[in-house]
Amino acid sequence: MRRAVNSSVEDLPSAIRDRGSSIRNNSDRTARVYEKRNHSGRHVCITRSGGSIHDLRGYNLNDQTRSLKINRNNCG
């Protein structure tokens, strides 16, 4: 996946849009992936520095992620 240079990606590239089944966060901030463009719809938060979700099916987001936002606050 491409890096979120300005802390967000409002519409993921077509090569990975709606195709993700897992996610890993290598940044020092938390990350949220969203079901829809422009950070809307259902979302899940991934903890910082190596946090990951190996199967997005448990969050009803398998092959349904559309945008990404990097945050300074904690998940929860």
Side-chain angles (χ1 to χ4, degrees):
M1 179 189 296
R2 77 180 193 198
R3 293 189 181 267
V5 217
N6 68 351
S7 301
S8 74
V9 178
E10 293 180 354
D11 196 14
L12 293 172
S14 60
I16 60 172
R17 183 182 316 136
D18 295 332
R19 296 179 188 199
S21 57
S22 64
I23 189 164
R24 178 179 204 93
N25 181 6
N26 291 319
S27 81
D28 61 349
R29 298 181 185 178
T30 59
R32 281 191 169 80
V33 288
Y34 292 83
E35 168 189 34
K36 298 180 181 178
R37 298 177 57 162
N38 300 317
H39 317 115
S40 62
R42 291 177 293 133
H43 68 275
V44 66
C45 185
I46 302 92
T47 56
R48 62 190 81 206
S49 303
S52 62
I53 296 175
H54 299 286
D55 190 348
L56 287 169
R57 287 182 293 190
Y59 299 89
N60 293 321
L61 287 170
N62 189 55
D63 296 336
Q64 296 182 49
T65 53
R66 192 70 192 248
S67 58
L68 165 76
K69 192 169 200 176
I70 305 297
N71 303 293
R72 293 186 184 274
N73 55 341
N74 293 327
C75 292

